[in-house]
Amino acid sequence: MSRPELIKEEIAGIAEYVPGKSIEEIASKYGFHPASVIKLGSNENVLGPSTKAIESMVDHAKDVNIYPSADASELVDAISVYTGLPVENICASGPGMDGLLDNLMRLLISAGDEVIIPTPTFSYYGIAACANGAVPVYVELNEDYSLDTDAIMNAESDRTKVIFLCSPNNPTGRLVEEADLRSILEHTRGLVFVDEAYIEFSDGNVAHLLNEYDNIIIGRTFSKAFALAGLRLGYGLMPAWLKAEYMKIATPFNISVPAVFAGIAALSDADHLKKSINCAIEGRDYLKGNIPFKVYDSQANFVLVDVSPLRSKDVTVSLLEKGIIVRDCKSFRDAGDSLIRVTVGTAEQNKKVVAAFEDASKLL
């Protein structure tokens, strides 16, 4: 027996989030041993986490009978050192940056409020906003995947509460130009959320704008460069006035003790972070130079491949049949049917990816 009438009306129109395929799923479907499957569909760090983070997590596992600090203050202090921002501008969040988004939408959105989302981009912005009664206003990116700032500004209304910008953008890998961001910040009466999940792999960030604007929020994660995706750990950088309001509704104790201290240790391991960044930069250059289709410039740990005139579905399946998981971008709004997102792997994995795309190109 089901009782759908009990579910909020806002939920009915939400499309379910589509995650990347798992190793177990592909191994079972295509008859591979799980260890032979190459998973490059979820933008995970292929080097794995820092040994310091693992050791710290294990050391603090014995303390899981005790609640963590309500606001993860130890981790916030470490993030303050890492970012150079005062603790008054920092909120730790779990699960991952998604928890930050959920809390912000709970804090900001009333039924009928609008959010502006340039597409194609990460789909969870729309899910979190719609679940709280927001009306999403989608604005397509320019043909080269840069922001159409005029279209974003023209889409704003007196109901606009939040504009979502992803930098580097998922799935395109393109950074938001600071000049464009400044124009939007100065134009809007709402808040601008900048998702910097992949920022460590890029040429710059916009955290310094917190010193100039009182309507910017920056979301970050430990899932990518710090390789702690399984711990679901993130944080937000925001004006002090907003943090004071945010903490009123933030779920207390939402980051486990092992995750808090693993995050602190990961931030302290500069060598491992540098290796992860170098791996991504070298790998994406190799993929761009060798995949026999159009590959867009990227500032993230993935590249976007346009396989037209072939369809992304067909090419993705051809790679899956070789035990290589990549991401068909068809589930991204306004991404079309020829784009594939490929996480940067190890040097050996990248060579196999190139060879698989070379085989796929023979379908032309």
Side-chain angles (χ1 to χ4, degrees):
M1 179 178 179
S2 63
R3 301 187 181 187
E5 69 276 7
L6 299 179
I7 305 301
K8 292 193 302 183
E9 292 182 6
E10 293 88 351
I11 306 302
I14 296 177
E16 186 176 355
Y17 177 73
V18 179
K21 297 183 182 299
S22 70
I23 289 175
E24 293 74 19
E25 175 187 357
I26 298 309
S28 174
K29 182 173 181 178
Y30 293 96
F32 295 110
H33 188 283
S36 69
V37 176
I38 299 174
K39 185 171 186 277
L40 300 176
S42 299
N43 300 338
E44 294 147 331
N45 186 330
V46 293
L47 298 186
S50 157
T51 55
K52 291 182 179 180
I54 297 172
E55 291 166 359
S56 185
M57 181 172 58
V58 172
D59 288 344
H60 287 86
K62 66 182 185 302
D63 301 323
V64 295
N65 62 309
I66 305 297
Y67 282 112
S69 55
D71 58 356
S73 58
E74 305 94 334
L75 179 58
V76 169
D77 288 342
I79 295 169
S80 177
V81 173
Y82 175 68
T83 61
L85 294 171
V87 296
E88 290 79 15
N89 294 126
I90 302 167
C91 295
S93 70
M97 195 196 304
D98 299 341
L100 175 70
L101 286 166
D102 285 334
N103 282 335
L104 286 169
M105 295 302 95
R106 194 153 57 98
L107 174 66
L108 299 169
I109 298 299
S110 298
D113 287 340
E114 295 178 356
V115 298
I116 297 174
I117 306 174
T119 58
T121 196
F122 183 46
S123 64
Y124 196 71
Y125 309 140
I127 292 172
C130 289
N132 287 277
V135 177
V137 179
Y138 295 104
V139 177
E140 287 192 54
L141 297 170
N142 290 317
E143 188 174 350
D144 64 354
Y145 296 128
S146 61
L147 284 182
D148 187 338
T149 54
D150 289 339
I152 290 172
M153 293 175 187
N154 291 335
E156 187 172 3
S157 75
D158 58 4
R159 297 293 293 175
T160 301
K161 278 288 186 71
V162 182
I163 298 172
F164 288 99
L165 303 176
C166 189
S167 182
N169 186 37
N170 175 14
T172 68
R174 181 162 182 151
L175 272 177
V176 172
E177 297 290 337
E178 185 173 316
D180 290 340
L181 176 56
R182 285 180 179 274
S183 295
I184 293 169
L185 285 165
E186 291 164 8
H187 177 273
T188 184
R189 290 168 292 182
L191 294 169
V192 179
F193 183 92
V194 183
D195 179 342
E196 289 193 336
Y198 302 95
I199 203 64
E200 279 82 9
F201 304 111
S202 77
D203 292 336
N205 66 76
V206 295
H208 58 281
L209 295 185
L210 280 163
N211 297 319
E212 301 180 47
Y213 298 94
D214 64 357
N215 61 337
I216 184 173
I217 310 165
I218 299 169
R220 291 188 180 173
T221 183
F222 285 81
S223 296
K224 308 304 180 183
F226 295 103
L228 297 179
L231 287 184
R232 312 305 301 120
L233 187 60
Y235 63 97
L237 308 175
M238 63 189 71
W241 73 265
L242 183 59
K243 176 179 177 176
E245 300 299 323
Y246 178 92
M247 295 308 296
K248 294 177 182 178
I249 57 87
T251 307
F253 316 116
N254 67 351
I255 302 176
S256 70
V257 172
V260 165
F261 288 96
I264 294 170
L267 288 169
S268 75
D269 195 342
D271 288 341
H272 187 268
L273 178 60
K274 184 177 180 179
K275 288 178 183 176
S276 297
I277 294 170
N278 288 341
C279 175
I281 292 173
E282 292 170 8
R284 73 193 184 203
D285 288 345
Y286 173 80
L287 293 174
K288 187 176 190 303
N290 291 277
I291 289 176
F293 293 97
K294 181 176 181 178
V295 182
Y296 288 89
D297 289 333
S298 173
Q299 291 278 300
N301 68 334
F302 59 83
V303 296
L304 184 68
V305 183
D306 187 344
V307 297
S308 59
L310 300 177
R311 294 191 307 162
S312 55
K313 178 181 178 181
D314 296 331
V315 177
T316 300
V317 169
S318 75
L319 268 67
L320 290 176
E321 291 172 345
K322 294 178 170 63
I324 301 172
I325 303 172
V326 292
R327 182 65 183 265
D328 182 353
C329 293
K330 189 169 176 56
S331 64
F332 286 79
R333 187 186 187 97
D334 297 323
D337 64 358
S338 66
L339 298 178
I340 295 174
R341 192 191 68 197
V342 184
T343 305
V344 175
T346 63
E348 180 182 357
Q349 290 172 338
N350 293 336
K351 289 178 182 178
K352 292 180 179 179
V353 167
V354 167
F357 273 105
E358 288 174 344
D359 285 347
S361 69
K362 297 172 184 176
L363 298 173
L364 290 172

